[in-house]
């Protein structure tokens, strides 16, 4: 085969990225080859047409097929990890920015400032003891579907489920890092918590009418640095976050379970999250506390609601 035409075909294959573009550009180049051969023939020069055209088309086709297959695998990987845990818009943005996001066929690790979110049902142990497994699973799935929908609607990524607990991340996986984006993530996490409180009230009302058990919620939110990346192998991979920020958010959720027990939903945040909230939220300072596994004390606050809005519904005793 003719090396120059093979090289040109390879370049076309690299640039095409789609069957439509490949067909258009391929046809244009073959047409140029044909016109050049015909023009030379008119001047009694004979230029072989088939070898360069064949070399060009075969090389371009092979390169395009390889890249298309690679893109399909990358897209399948991203969709496998994220499609059920983020909104469609975020998943599409990930695909558009895949060159920044993927490394060696998997999401690259990145250090960034994000907001970690943990929620847990209060009273779930008692409920699980009173319901048969199938009814318990159905009951819990109703709760999970509603709450994960709220989190995703606010731009959060569902990271993990642990029984009745939900772990979510705000600020991932797109690598934007500036104060306005970090502020938006913190606000989104707190707004999600307040929306979940309202949804919890509606769920309890429906469950009460059906004679089903009612529960409350605890939520912990913390903003800070973390490492995000993929854990596991190619067959089973999970995109998650690790770091002190994640640990603190988890400890805030489980801190002093008697605190705020009278409310339907108790939302605790760290001072690093509070600084991004502004005056639209009503908060209560709990104080400097020692969290389990942490030597340093941190200042925590309780979110009571938005200014101008009544306090969240109280837990029915």
């Amino acid at each position: 085969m003719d090396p120059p035409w093979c090289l040109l075909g390879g370049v076309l294959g690299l640039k095409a990225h789609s069957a439509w573009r490949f067909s258009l550009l391929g046809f244009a180049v073959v047409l140029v080859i044909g016109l050049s051969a015909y023009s030379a023939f008119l001047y009694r020069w004979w230029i072989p047409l088939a070898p360069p055209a064949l070399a060009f088309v075969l090389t371009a086709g092979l390169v395009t097929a390889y890249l298309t297959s690679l893109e399909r695998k990358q897209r399948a990987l991203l969709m496998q990890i994220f499609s059920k845990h983020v909104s469609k818009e975020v998943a599409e943005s990930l695909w558009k920015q895949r060159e920044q996001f993927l490394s060696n066929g998997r999401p690259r690790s990145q250090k960034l400032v994000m907001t970690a979110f943990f929620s847990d049902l209060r009273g779930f142990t008692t409920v699980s003891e009173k319901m048969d497994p199938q009814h318990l699973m159905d009951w819990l799935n109703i709760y999970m579907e509603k709450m994960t929908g709220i989190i995703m609607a606010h731009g959060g990524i569902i990271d993990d489920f642990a029984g009745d607990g939900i772990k979510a991340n705000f600020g991932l996986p797109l690598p934007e890092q500036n104060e306005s984006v970090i502020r938006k993530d913190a606000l989104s996490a707190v707004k999600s918590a307040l929306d979940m409180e309202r949804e919890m009230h509606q769920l309890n009302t429906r469950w009460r009418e059906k004679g089903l058990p009612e529960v409350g919620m605890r939520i912990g939110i913390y903003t800070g640095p973390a490492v995000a990346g993929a854990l596991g192998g190619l067959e089973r991979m999970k995109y998650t976050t690790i770091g002190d920020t994640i640990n603190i958010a988890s400890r805030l959720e489980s801190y002093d379970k008697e605190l705020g027990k009278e409310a339907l939903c108790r939302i605790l945040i760290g001072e690093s999250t509070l600084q991004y909230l502004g005056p639209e939220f009503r908060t209560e300072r709990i104080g400097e506390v020692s969290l389990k596994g942490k030597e340093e004390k941190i200042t925590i606050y309780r979110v009571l609601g938005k200014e101008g809005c009544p306090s969240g519904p109280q837990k029915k005793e």
Side-chain angles (χ1 to χ4, degrees):
M1 288 192 180
D2 198 336
W5 290 107
C6 288
L7 179 61
L8 183 59
V11 171
L12 172 64
L14 290 172
K15 298 294 184 182
H17 290 296
S18 71
W20 177 84
R21 189 178 296 178
F22 170 77
S23 300
L24 183 64
L25 293 177
F27 176 77
V29 174
V30 171
L31 183 62
V32 169
I33 295 173
L35 290 174
S36 300
Y38 179 72
S39 299
F41 178 75
L42 293 178
Y43 289 95
R44 300 181 182 279
W45 287 87
W46 181 74
I47 298 177
L49 175 61
L54 188 62
F56 169 78
V57 171
L58 284 178
T59 306
L62 288 172
V63 173
T64 301
Y66 170 74
L67 291 179
T68 301
S69 174
L70 185 62
E71 285 191 358
R72 278 204 195 101
K73 289 179 181 177
Q74 290 179 340
R75 187 178 184 91
L77 174 65
L78 285 177
M79 294 305 106
Q80 174 191 345
I81 297 174
F82 293 110
S83 61
K84 294 182 180 179
H85 303 299
V86 299
S87 66
K88 181 180 178 182
E89 293 74 19
V90 172
E92 287 302 322
S93 295
L94 275 175
W95 177 242
K96 291 175 183 176
Q97 300 183 43
R98 60 189 178 278
E99 291 183 1
Q100 302 176 47
F101 191 70
L102 290 175
S103 175
N104 296 323
R106 61 191 294 156
R108 62 163 50 96
S109 299
Q110 54 181 323
K111 187 174 182 180
L112 73 174
V113 177
M114 49 81 69
T115 298
F117 180 105
F118 282 82
S119 73
D120 197 59
L121 283 178
R122 185 175 56 225
F124 178 72
T125 302
T126 303
V127 171
S128 63
E129 291 171 351
K130 295 179 180 179
M131 296 178 72
D132 68 77
Q134 186 58 56
H135 288 154
L136 176 64
M137 188 65 72
D138 294 340
W139 177 87
L140 188 57
N141 275 330
I142 292 172
Y143 163 79
M144 289 293 187
E145 183 177 357
K146 294 290 185 181
M147 299 309 168
T148 56
I150 290 172
I151 291 170
M152 289 169 62
H154 283 283
I157 290 182
I158 306 300
D159 188 316
D160 200 7
F161 298 109
D164 57 311
I166 301 173
K167 176 192 174 188
N169 303 305
F170 289 81
L172 305 177
L174 302 178
E176 295 182 77
Q177 284 287 281
N178 57 60
E179 282 299 301
S180 64
V181 171
I182 296 170
R183 180 183 303 278
K184 179 177 176 293
D185 296 331
L187 286 169
S188 295
V190 174
K191 288 176 181 177
S192 290
L194 293 173
D195 285 350
M196 288 169 69
E197 180 179 20
R198 283 188 286 272
E199 185 62 38
M200 190 79 257
H201 175 63
Q202 294 178 21
L203 284 176
N204 273 338
T205 300
R206 285 163 51 192
W207 287 336
R208 189 184 315 128
E209 292 170 353
K210 295 179 179 180
L212 295 172
E214 302 172 51
V215 290
M217 261 193 311
R218 291 187 305 272
I219 294 175
I221 299 171
Y222 195 78
T223 303
V227 175
L231 291 178
L234 292 177
E235 294 299 320
R236 187 173 178 84
M237 188 182 298
K238 176 186 174 185
Y239 188 78
T240 188
T241 51
I242 58 175
D244 203 36
T245 293
I246 314 304
N247 297 334
I248 293 175
S250 176
R251 298 292 185 263
L252 286 174
E253 177 275 309
S254 60
Y255 174 75
D256 189 359
K257 296 181 180 181
E258 295 300 312
L259 176 66
K261 193 175 180 180
E262 76 287 349
L264 184 64
C265 179
R266 187 199 73 182
I267 305 168
L268 295 184
I269 64 173
E271 194 166 29
S272 60
T273 302
L274 178 73
Q275 66 176 330
Y276 291 113
L277 298 190
E280 63 178 295
F281 295 94
R282 289 183 291 110
T283 59
E284 174 189 16
R285 188 178 187 274
I286 303 300
E288 281 194 10
V289 302
S290 297
L291 298 177
K292 185 178 179 181
K294 292 282 299 173
E295 292 184 5
E296 268 186 51
K297 289 187 175 182
I298 70 166
T299 305
I300 65 174
Y301 297 79
R302 182 177 168 191
V303 177
L304 303 176
K306 282 191 173 184
E307 285 294 347
C309 296
S311 297
Q314 300 298 298
K315 180 176 180 287
K316 183 179 176 64
E317 297 296 340

